[in-house]
Amino acid sequence: MYSPLTKIVIIVTILSTFSINVFAEEGHCVWYDTCGTDTDTKKAINCAYNGTAKPLEDEEAVNIYRDYCPDLYAMRNGSAPMTCCSADQLKILQSNMDVPKQMLSRCPSCFHNFVNLYCYFTCAPDHSRFLRINTTETNPISTAKKTVAVKSVDCLVSPSFANGMFNSCKNVQMPSANERALGILCGHSADQCTPQNWLDYMGGTANGQTPFQINFHLGNSSKVFPKLEPLSAKIIPCSQALTNDTNPCSCQDCADMCTPAIPPPPPAKPWKILHIDGYCFIMGAIFIFFTAFFGVYAICYNIIVQDSLSLDGIDEEDDEGNPIYRIDDQGKKKRRKNSFSSIRKDQLGITEKLGARMEMMFEKAFSRWGTMCARHPYIVFGISAVIIVILVAGIALFQVTTSPVKLWSSPDSRARQEKDYFDNHFVPFYRTQQLIITRTGNHSKVAHRFPPPSTEYEYFPAIFDKEFLHQVLRLQNTVEHLTTKLGNDTVSLQDICFQPMAPAYPNCTIQSILQYYQDSHEMLDKTVMDSSGFFVAADYLDHFLYCVRAPASLNDTTKLHTSCLGTDGAPTFPWVALGGFDGDNYHNATALVITFLVNNHVNEADNAKAEAWEAEYIKFIKGFSNPNMSIAFSSERSIQDELDRESSSDIKTILISYLIMFAYISLTLGKINTCARFFVDSKITMGLAGVLIVLLSVGCSLGFFSYVGQPATLIIIEVVPFLVLAVGVDNIFILVQAYQRDQRQASEDLEQQIGRIVGKVGPSMMLTSFSESIAFFLGALTDMPAVKIFSLYAAMAVFFDFLLQITCLVALMCLDAKRQEKNHFDCCCCVKMRNAEKEEKREGLLYTFVKDYYSHFIMKEWVRPIVMIVFVGWFCASCAMAPRIEIGLDQKLSMPEDSYVLDYFGNLSAYLSVGPPVYFVVKSGHNYTTTAGQNDICGGNGCPENSVLGQIFKAAQQANYTRIAHPASSWLDDYFSWLTPDGNPPCCRYYNETDTFCKATIVNDSCVKCNLTNFAKGRPSEEDFMPFLPWYLEDIPEVKCSKGGHPAYGSAVQLLNKNTTVGATYFMTYHTILKTNNDYISALKMAREIASNITRDQNFTEEGISVFPYSIFYVYYEQYLTIVHDTIKNLSICVGAIFLVTFVLLGFELYSAIMVVITIAFILADMLGLMYLWDISLNAVSLVNLVMTVGIAVEFCSHIVRAFTVSTMPTRKERAKHALAQMGSSVLSGITLTKLGGIIVLAFSKSQLFQVFYFRMYLGIVVFGAAHGLIFLPVLLSYVGPPMNKAKVYYNRIEAMQGADSNINRNIERRSIMSDQDDNPPSYDSLH
């Protein structure tokens, strides 16, 4: 918030009296009294007088002399003081010192030294020693005795006095303006001010306040003025108190009062080991160690065990270490009878029997369930339809969270709570509408000649061309007068804008350099010619150069003598209204920035008028065209509008992506051997049903949480269907292809066959679905709303998808199988194929390729080590790259490629010249009425260095580290200055008849100064603090009183209990310019550290209060303070949940659960490496995708791991080959190929967010998932997979002995193994 602050600038030079145009005698006066006004400056000038000093006898004048000139007053020797100034001159001195006193009285010694210069200059009884009259004039309206008036003088000042005065004042702050007082009093910026140019500016009539020219000369002697002695008075350093009743200046105003600053810690050095990046070194060492160890193992294994490099080595061993092959009498290789053929009951371990029991239970349950669904399909459809309709109906209550605050910040987060506290206790941050205007087509410089007698030129960029500024002003005025309709009401900017000085100045606040000209074409064209009428003495550029130095001035120092204040009565700071300049060289700016401030409200409904006007504003600017200017613009609603538009435009892309995947599923799910049977063997109906189930599961999830009242986000609509499709399609392919490959047994009917197949693949489907669902539910424990909402909706959608698949899909599969057996057409079941011969089941092409070729190739002894080395190497490289991933979300990525906001962001980055405001909020409960309570907060004289404002000031001294650009504005210190009772008139006055506030500008005899019982050391007494505070907060700054608090502090102080208590307050400053994510994160972190130090140092915790910082961007960037921790936490929870579920559902197979977790960890690491290489930052969006990666990774690995565990092949290699053959083709066709088609479409999205966070990451998920599931995992299992489950082998041996018709005995064996009463193992068929 750019709080409009009124800085009333009055450059005071005291009216003096000089001698005639000859030197006065030593120790005498050169002037006395006033005589008329100057013909040029129109101000009172002094009468020349060559004589001795005169006694000052007027009582009021003596009191002024005593108060303002105590050093000279002390020389009176008990009698009336002898002075060279009259009573009238002293009264003028007092009047002209009022405003400087308000500016400089924070540092009493500074103000004393400043006034002392003019006391000696005006009243010293011997000022002829250092003063010389240059020119005089005869005043025609003067009396006969006073016809000679002083026109100009020379004054010789000793360097020690000038430097002492300058040093005591150079750091004095102006809290309401967040800058130093000398920035106004010097005619230069405070950094460029020196003792000489300060005196030059104060003595020149060009400043608009000095009545005649005063030429100050610094030196201990002067060849030009040999008879003059330099003025040298006692200097009081700012670190010294004037009297026992005053305090020295504070650290903010006097550097000598500050303790040495602790230097900021040096930037963290990159972590290195032996001059190598630490992460790279460690991961490189791990890779080298692994390669060496694994290389030795592979070589020894092949030489010692295999004795060759082939898969079928003669000495290959099973899991028990027994050789598998032997050489017969003919020299041929024969497979030995494996060692598991003689397994007995007592050899089975507890976990093996428990695992067999689990397998038996799941197989039996799913077989019965599958048979039931197959026998009663219509009942299943009916019940499912009822449940689905009930759940989907909840979408009528569906709510979408589009607010970025609610999306990225938890209601319980610190930033969110602090934002709510700020909004509820003060006013929400303004709604801003901004134009950034640059010149196009003309880059010629604008030549500006300095006022005569100078002959030099200064050159301005093309944006300062007068005609161009007129065009910009016309645009600004047009925008200001835009109106729109809201219902029956007409809404204008005047109805909604910020008006800080109302009702005195009812105009809207528009931050623009055109406010220096009061938005007037006439003022822009105004010029003043010199006396010859030939040269321009002042024009719009002279006025601009003055106003950027003193934006709160009421009267510039040029010949124009016009105000710099805008039509709203507030100043416009150049760093806000200009862009593209260097340092404080505002005349080098290359961009004009126009900002319209609109009031904001906590209740969104109250912003309806503002939103309506903003829509009209956007419409107008989009249609505006001017060949001379380029306009980048934004409104408060722009980002939300563009996000909504982006979401609408992305619907088409999403639909195309899903349609491609749907089409692929429908066409490839069937197994077509001949063209003649295409319409019979196709599975389009099954594919469409599977896709419909995915959509219904998402709909059920949306409906369920709509009933619960959990709002959704747009991420749900875009991401969850993709996730569920990955899970659902994989299961569809596994289920359908298991049926396609199965041969019906002689004693089975179709329903029993379907049940048996469901018994085989159902546990695998349950394993993946439950793993993902539970992982997502646990992932919802996060505090990040976007991730939490995604996790909840995804978990429920996956759960519903599984339920619908094992019910509706199984029932439909049975109906479709009957249709196919009867040779009825797919999608048109009433049409039957004629003369159709029964087609024998054949293995599909992809299945044959994986089973007979790929699985054999990947298990070759020379391939397996290469696979391990490559995947472990990439894993190590990815881990080394992961810490380098950038944190944050570039706003540009959230906008469509054709968005006007992108141009605005680009211009903002190029021309930004001011950081965002930051408010240090002191929570309600602090006592401001006591001296101790004030010392905890204040920054003026008498305030400790570790106060709230003191610590913010110290932070601003190290801006590059703390990101705090300026000291904070202080309502408390300005309130003390406002209460000062000795002003003329004082700021604090009231009508003695009504006891109501009377402004300082009002001339009324009934206005009397506030009756302060005590004002010691510049502080009010405890009982005087509260009564006058409301008046201060209502007062508008004016010439007579520049400390009125309404514009700067009207919303900064909360008054409670009928204005008898101070509640929450804030102290505003600015951050440094922030452009990158790291800048914003660092600023937030440092501001919180500063606030924490303040709370601790002031013992606020004991009072039950605290100090916290607030800025508009904190609520968005807080997530990045803990994003790394949150990422590790969420992914760990998800992976941990998958480990436990896998461990339990695989029959307490610890090895298998570890294999799944290792594979998922490898995939996650590789995704992090991809994020670094492909410039994908870590934020809530990418975290959602990483959580989704865990879910999809389960699909790629759990099916294969389970197939490995249930396989009864004797060796790990053979089980890995078998698992790959059985599940590899389903995984490849079900997930990989399905997703690739849909993902490629996302690359053509107009949304950069889709291109970066969805296309790139989804592509990485599928590619890495497929690579690890189909290449790395089988090889890993072949090396360190779980050992053979002996119970399963034992059962298979018994089953083979009993034959296919021994169903009764097999059931007895199953019950026996479960009851531990005989030696028969559980029944378990490996997948065929």
Side-chain angles (χ1 to χ4, degrees), residues 1050-1062:
S1051 61
V1053 183
Q1054 183 188 36
L1055 298 179
L1056 305 175
N1057 303 325
K1058 298 182 179 180
N1059 297 338
T1060 60
T1061 307
V1062 176

Side-chain angles (χ1 to χ4, degrees), residues 1257-1276:
M1257 293 197 74
Y1258 285 8
L1259 184 63
I1261 292 171
V1262 172
V1263 171
F1264 286 132
H1268 284 78
L1270 300 176
I1271 301 175
F1272 171 73
L1273 180 58
V1275 173
L1276 179 66

Side-chain angles (χ1 to χ4, degrees), residues 886-1001:
E886 184 179 350
I887 294 175
L889 175 62
D890 188 350
Q891 291 186 89
K892 297 177 182 178
L893 294 179
S894 62
M895 296 291 103
E897 288 182 328
D898 59 348
S899 173
Y900 67 89
V901 181
L902 286 179
D903 186 36
Y904 172 75
F905 284 154
N907 279 264
L908 200 63
S909 178
Y911 301 113
L912 181 67
S913 300
V914 62
V918 55
Y919 307 86
F920 285 89
V921 179
V922 180
K923 286 189 174 183
S924 180
H926 184 68
N927 186 356
Y928 294 86
T929 63
T930 66
T931 300
Q934 294 162 5
N935 286 341
D936 289 339
I937 304 294
C938 65
N941 68 87
C943 301
E945 193 174 349
N946 67 338
S947 66
V948 171
L949 290 159
Q951 294 200 44
I952 298 173
F953 171 79
K954 294 293 288 263
Q957 304 303 108
Q958 300 176 339
N960 290 336
Y961 173 68
T962 63
R963 302 287 183 177
I964 300 296
H966 308 287
S969 60
S970 170
W971 66 267
L972 185 61
D973 292 298
D974 279 347
Y975 178 47
F976 293 157
S977 299
W978 184 85
L979 278 175
T980 302
D982 52 358
N984 187 29
C987 293
C988 186
R989 299 193 304 165
Y990 67 99
Y991 293 101
N992 58 7
E993 299 171 351
T994 61
D995 289 337
T996 57
F997 178 59
C998 177
K999 291 178 61 65
T1001 53

Side-chain angles (χ1 to χ4, degrees), residues 7 14 49 81 141 237 412 519 572 649 708 717 783 896 918 1032 1036 1080 1123 1238 1288:
K7 301 182 289 185
I14 308 307
Y49 167 71
I141 65 172
D412 297 327
D519 294 343
T572 296
S649 65
V708 174
I717 310 301
D783 294 328
V918 55
Y1032 162 70
I1036 302 293
Y1080 284 99
I1123 189 70
K1288 298 171 186 176

Side-chain angles (χ1 to χ4, degrees), residues 613-639:
W613 186 89
E614 289 166 359
E616 183 65 23
Y617 156 80
I618 293 172
K619 178 182 177 181
F620 171 77
I621 298 298
K622 280 185 176 181
F624 180 81
S625 177
N626 186 316
N628 295 322
M629 63 179 71
S630 172
I631 302 177
F633 69 98
S634 176
S635 174
E636 186 71 22
R637 64 177 293 164
S638 291
I639 293 180

Side-chain angles (χ1 to χ4, degrees), residues 842-1128:
R842 301 177 185 177
E843 294 179 348
L845 182 62
L846 188 59
Y847 175 77
T848 301
F849 168 76
V850 174
K851 175 175 176 291
D852 296 337
Y853 298 97
Y854 176 73
S855 62
H856 287 269
F857 171 78
I858 203 69
M859 288 297 122
K860 287 186 177 293
E861 289 303 324
W862 64 270
V863 175
R864 292 197 300 157
I866 294 176
V867 169
M868 294 299 295
I869 294 297
V870 169
F871 276 83
V872 172
W874 181 245
F875 170 79
C876 292
S878 297
C879 290
M881 291 185 284
R884 304 180 185 181
I885 297 174
E886 184 179 350
I887 294 175
L889 175 62
D890 188 350
Q891 291 186 89
K892 297 177 182 178
L893 294 179
S894 62
M895 296 291 103
E897 288 182 328
D898 59 348
S899 173
Y900 67 89
V901 181
L902 286 179
D903 186 36
Y904 172 75
F905 284 154
N907 279 264
L908 200 63
S909 178
Y911 301 113
L912 181 67
S913 300
V914 62
V918 55
Y919 307 86
F920 285 89
V921 179
V922 180
K923 286 189 174 183
S924 180
H926 184 68
N927 186 356
Y928 294 86
T929 63
T930 66
T931 300
Q934 294 162 5
N935 286 341
D936 289 339
I937 304 294
C938 65
N941 68 87
C943 301
E945 193 174 349
N946 67 338
S947 66
V948 171
L949 290 159
Q951 294 200 44
I952 298 173
F953 171 79
K954 294 293 288 263
Q957 304 303 108
Q958 300 176 339
N960 290 336
Y961 173 68
T962 63
R963 302 287 183 177
I964 300 296
H966 308 287
S969 60
S970 170
W971 66 267
L972 185 61
D973 292 298
D974 279 347
Y975 178 47
F976 293 157
S977 299
W978 184 85
L979 278 175
T980 302
D982 52 358
N984 187 29
C987 293
C988 186
R989 299 193 304 165
Y990 67 99
Y991 293 101
N992 58 7
E993 299 171 351
T994 61
D995 289 337
T996 57
F997 178 59
C998 177
K999 291 178 61 65
T1001 53
I1002 295 176
V1003 178
N1004 191 315
D1005 292 339
S1006 63
C1007 289
V1008 296
K1009 68 180 181 179
C1010 297
N1011 185 21
L1012 299 175
T1013 58
N1014 186 20
F1015 197 76
K1017 296 188 176 182
R1019 306 276 187 92
S1021 63
E1022 187 170 347
E1023 56 270 21
D1024 288 337
F1025 186 89
M1026 287 306 304
F1028 310 112
L1029 182 58
W1031 293 352
Y1032 162 70
L1033 296 175
E1034 295 172 4
D1035 193 14
I1036 302 293
E1038 299 285 357
V1039 176
K1040 294 293 185 179
C1041 177
S1042 64
K1043 292 295 182 177
H1046 180 68
Y1049 309 120
S1051 61
V1053 183
Q1054 183 188 36
L1055 298 179
L1056 305 175
N1057 303 325
K1058 298 182 179 180
N1059 297 338
T1060 60
T1061 307
V1062 176
T1065 68
Y1066 69 68
F1067 302 88
M1068 189 197 79
T1069 180
Y1070 289 90
H1071 280 301
T1072 55
I1073 298 174
L1074 309 175
K1075 294 188 176 182
T1076 67
N1077 286 320
N1078 286 336
D1079 290 343
Y1080 284 99
I1081 296 169
S1082 175
L1084 168 58
K1085 188 184 300 183
M1086 291 307 305
R1088 285 188 171 178
E1089 184 176 332
I1090 293 168
S1092 176
N1093 290 339
I1094 292 173
T1095 301
R1096 182 184 63 252
D1097 291 349
Q1098 299 304 323
N1099 295 320
F1100 283 156
T1101 307
E1102 297 179 2
E1103 301 178 30
I1105 62 175
S1106 62
V1107 176
F1108 69 85
Y1110 169 73
S1111 189
I1112 186 66
F1113 69 88
Y1114 286 0
V1115 73
Y1116 304 108
Y1117 281 86
E1118 183 188 42
Q1119 58 178 304
Y1120 303 128
L1121 296 179
T1122 59
I1123 189 70
V1124 174
H1125 173 269
D1126 291 340
T1127 300
I1128 295 173

Side-chain angles (χ1 to χ4, degrees), residues 516-537:
Y516 296 153
Y517 312 97
Q518 291 74 52
D519 294 343
S520 167
H521 291 281
E522 292 74 18
M523 293 298 294
L524 190 59
D525 287 329
K526 186 177 181 179
T527 59
V528 174
M529 308 301 290
D530 69 350
S531 56
S532 68
F534 185 77
F535 294 104
V536 175

